[in-house]
């Protein structure tokens, strides 16, 4: 217990300190200390515990911030939805904030589905792309908080933490990444058996992208009506089935596999990826005819589509869930992947790697490569090995 005298001395000390601080001359040109901005858009749910730290925070003694976070986390509800709301900076127009999903984006504007209605929104200027780490602030699939000004318009105030992102190099700044789809659960990799012919390397690239983003992937081989014999495509896709990948054979024109596809899309957010002209829009229209997505003929000479779908759209499905009809994008992100890490995405190659003569065998040219020998004998499919080599050659060391 402090004595009365000690207490008085303490009071005196505090008063004196206050007065001295008040006597400090004000320096008009003093710059405020730099602040650290919290990059909440990049945080996953794992980081949700520290989301309600203020946007601008003081530099604290070592360990102090973590201590406060632990205390706050202990006092907080564990429900992730509540965490989202708590973590969001307050919208300006309090009382009119609503939560919605971005269904379409164009420069500076986006359409957001709120309570079953789609409203046109601008994006609050203080939400900067640089802070998000990507070249776009808002992406299709984003969960956002909007403040409403009128029934059909609003402003995106906050982009809530993303569960997943599908990226591609930005069109104008190739070294930066653009978010194509946020919060997808799975990728539907669409290729056509013919016209244009199935491009296995692209299938593998998309499989790697999906795995790197923790998304499940299903391969959909469309236009099977153009095959002379079903054995052709069934044999070609067997190595993928053997590896455990889901494979669906469809014909948007004849209706094969459409019911199965509908079931697969139900209740999830699916990014539909594949080259132009393979029938992505046709398949989605077959799944849900009222979507009536624009489709286009494939160029007879070049066997390529004409990029009929140019915008990324989030389409609400009747059975629940969303599908994202993406334009044919070749370079869904392998950014940051190095040659040495590629085999990790080829389980059948990875399983043999320790038997190769050289410990750091790349399985592309070395003598004594067990993987190359396995291709001749069968365990590694020639198609997969070929794609592995092509992708390896395109990656940095
Ligand atoms: N024979 C056949 N043709 C199909 C099938 N599915 C789509 N097509 C045709 O393929 C062409 C391209 O189809 P789209 O649905 O526009 O292709 P997309 O993948 O959406 O192309 P982009 O929007 O350019 O990326 C159209 O002429 C379709 O009629 C199919 O199962 N069989
Ligand atoms: Mg299309
Ligand atoms: Zn090897």
């Amino acid at each position: 217990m402090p004595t009365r005298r000690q207490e008085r001395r303490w009071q005196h000390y505090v008063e004196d300190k206050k007065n001295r601080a008040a006597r400090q001359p004000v320096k008009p040109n003093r710059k405020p200390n730099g602040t650290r901005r919290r990059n909440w858009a990049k945080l996953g749910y794992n980081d949700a515990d520290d989301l309600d730290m203020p946007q601008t925070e003081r530099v604290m003694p070592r360990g102090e911030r973590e201590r406060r976070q632990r205390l706050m986390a202990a006092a907080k509800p564990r429900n992730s939805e509540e965490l989202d709301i708590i973590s969001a900076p307050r919208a300006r127009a309090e009382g009119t904030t609503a939560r919605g999903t971005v269904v379409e984006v164009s420069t500076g504007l986006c359409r957001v589905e709120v309570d079953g209605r789609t409203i046109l929104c601008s994006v609050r200027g203080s939400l900067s792309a640089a802070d998000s780490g990507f070249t776009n602030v808002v992406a299709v699939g984003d969960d956002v908080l909007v403040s409403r000004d009128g029934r059909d318009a609003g402003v995106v105030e906050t982009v809530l933490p993303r569960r997943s992102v599908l990226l591609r190099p930005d069109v104008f700044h190739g070294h930066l990444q653009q978010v194509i789809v946020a919060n997808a659960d799975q990728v539907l990799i669409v290729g056509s058996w013919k016209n244009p012919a199935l491009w296995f390397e692209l299938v593998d690239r998309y499989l790697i992208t999906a795995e790197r983003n923790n998304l499940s992937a299903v391969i959909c081989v469309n236009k099977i009506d153009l095959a002379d014999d079903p054995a052709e495509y069934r044999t070609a896709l067997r190595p993928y089935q053997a590896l455990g990948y889901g494979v669906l054979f469809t014909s948007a024109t004849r209706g094969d596999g459409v019911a199965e596809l509908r079931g697969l899309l139900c209740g999830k957010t699916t990014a539909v990826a594949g080259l132009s002209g393979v029938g992505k829009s046709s398949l989605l229209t077959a799944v849900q005819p009222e979507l009536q997505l624009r489709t286009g003929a494939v160029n007879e000479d070049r066997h390529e589509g004409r990029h009929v779908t140019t915008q990324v759209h989030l389409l609400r499905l009747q059975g629940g869930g969303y599908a994202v009809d993406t334009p044919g994008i070749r370079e869904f992100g392998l950014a940051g992947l190095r040659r040495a890490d590629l085999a990790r995405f080829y389980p059948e190659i990875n399983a043999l790697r320790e038997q190769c003569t050289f410990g750091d065998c790349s399985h592309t040219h070395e003598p004594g490569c067990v993987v190359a020998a396995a291709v001749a004998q069968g365990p590694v499919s020639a198609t997969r090995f070929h794609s592995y080599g092509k992708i390896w050659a395109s990656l940095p060391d």
Side-chain angles (χ1 to χ4, degrees):
M1 264 296 259
T3 62
R4 298 247 325 253
R5 188 158 167 209
Q6 278 172 324
E7 257 178 53
R8 244 182 294 132
R9 275 176 64 184
W10 174 249
Q11 287 280 325
H12 179 76
Y13 168 75
V14 171
E15 286 299 313
D16 187 50
K17 206 168 174 196
K18 262 199 240 158
N19 291 341
R20 249 187 290 157
R23 284 198 299 271
Q24 288 286 324
V26 176
K27 295 181 193 157
N29 289 332
R30 181 179 168 273
K31 285 199 189 128
N33 286 338
T35 52
R36 286 195 278 153
R37 282 184 67 84
R38 174 142 291 262
N39 183 0
W40 46 266
K42 253 170 63 181
L43 298 177
Y45 281 127
N46 293 343
D47 299 302
D49 275 348
D50 58 6
L51 282 172
D52 68 348
M53 294 301 288
Q55 287 275 299
T56 38
E57 60 192 43
R58 285 174 190 284
V59 176
M60 296 180 195
R62 183 178 299 192
E64 173 63 7
R65 198 161 68 94
E66 286 72 10
R67 195 183 68 82
R68 291 189 188 189
Q69 281 168 7
R70 269 199 309 278
L71 286 175
M72 281 196 278
K76 244 175 13 193
R78 308 306 304 171
N79 177 322
S80 63
E81 205 152 288
E82 287 175 66
L83 281 174
D84 277 349
I85 300 294
I86 290 168
S87 68
R90 285 231 179 106
R92 278 139 218 247
E94 262 188 275
T96 58
T97 311
R99 184 176 172 149
T101 306
V102 177
V103 296
E104 201 182 328
V105 177
S106 65
T107 337
L109 290 175
C110 58
R111 284 184 199 282
V112 180
E113 197 181 274
V114 180
D115 299 331
R117 286 172 60 89
T118 304
I119 59 172
L120 187 64
C121 292
S122 57
V123 178
R124 179 65 67 200
S126 54
L127 297 180
S128 111
D131 280 349
S132 81
F134 304 108
T135 55
N136 50 339
V137 181
V138 177
V140 164
D142 264 328
D143 286 329
V144 292
L145 296 183
V146 295
S147 57
R148 308 278 291 267
D149 54 12
R151 264 176 82 68
D152 293 314
V155 180
V156 173
E157 302 283 356
T158 299
V159 180
L160 295 172
R162 291 167 174 152
R163 292 191 302 278
S164 69
V165 283
L166 273 176
L167 307 169
R168 76 159 174 197
D170 188 83
V171 180
F172 300 109
H173 311 280
H175 60 293
L176 298 173
Q177 306 262 6
Q178 184 189 359
V179 182
I180 300 295
V181 183
N183 299 327
D185 300 304
Q186 59 181 1
V187 184
L188 184 75
I189 303 170
V190 184
S192 47
W193 179 245
K194 276 189 182 170
N195 198 26
L198 189 58
W199 186 10
F200 288 96
E201 182 192 330
L202 193 69
V203 171
D204 283 10
R205 281 178 177 268
Y206 285 166
L207 285 174
I208 296 170
T209 302
E211 188 153 346
R212 289 181 89 208
N213 290 288
N214 289 322
L215 300 171
S216 53
V218 177
I219 303 165
C220 174
V221 180
N222 190 36
K223 305 199 188 182
I224 55 168
D225 54 292
L226 300 181
D228 300 324
D229 180 356
E232 291 172 20
Y233 53 79
R234 291 200 181 278
T235 311
L237 270 298
R238 207 154 284 145
Y240 289 89
Q241 288 170 315
L243 287 165
Y245 293 115
V247 180
L248 203 61
F249 297 107
T250 59
S251 165
T253 47
R254 216 168 55 184
D256 310 42
V258 169
E260 217 177 329
L261 177 59
R262 195 177 292 124
L264 191 97
L265 300 178
C266 186
K268 299 199 173 126
T269 298
T270 308
V272 183
L275 274 188
S276 178
V278 296
K280 300 180 294 295
S281 302
S282 306
L283 277 171
L284 289 174
T285 306
V287 163
Q288 191 164 308
E290 55 281 18
L291 289 176
Q292 287 300 331
L293 302 174
R294 273 187 62 215
T295 61
V298 172
N299 181 306
E300 286 299 321
D301 301 325
R302 292 166 54 214
H303 295 289
E304 276 180 14
R306 295 162 193 207
H307 294 285
V308 176
T309 307
T310 50
Q311 271 278 353
V312 181
H313 286 275
L314 196 64
L315 307 164
R316 182 182 270 282
L317 300 172
Q318 275 157 359
Y322 295 97
V324 190
D325 188 13
T326 68
I329 295 169
R330 279 170 197 245
E331 60 287 76
F332 257 145
L334 296 195
L337 186 64
R338 310 201 79 83
R339 284 178 171 178
D341 298 323
L342 180 61
R344 202 157 59 79
F345 298 97
Y346 281 82
E348 71 274 45
I349 293 180
N350 212 24
L352 297 172
R353 94 179 175 275
E354 287 183 355
Q355 298 171 38
C356 291
T357 304
F358 298 108
D360 60 349
C361 185
S362 70
H363 324 298
T364 54
H365 58 274
E366 294 87 345
C369 175
V370 173
V371 176
V375 175
Q377 290 152 21
V380 175
S381 93
T383 319
R384 291 270 292 171
F385 187 60
H386 182 71
S387 302
Y388 170 87
K390 300 269 280 203
I391 298 173
W392 185 90
S394 74
L395 295 178
D397 254 334

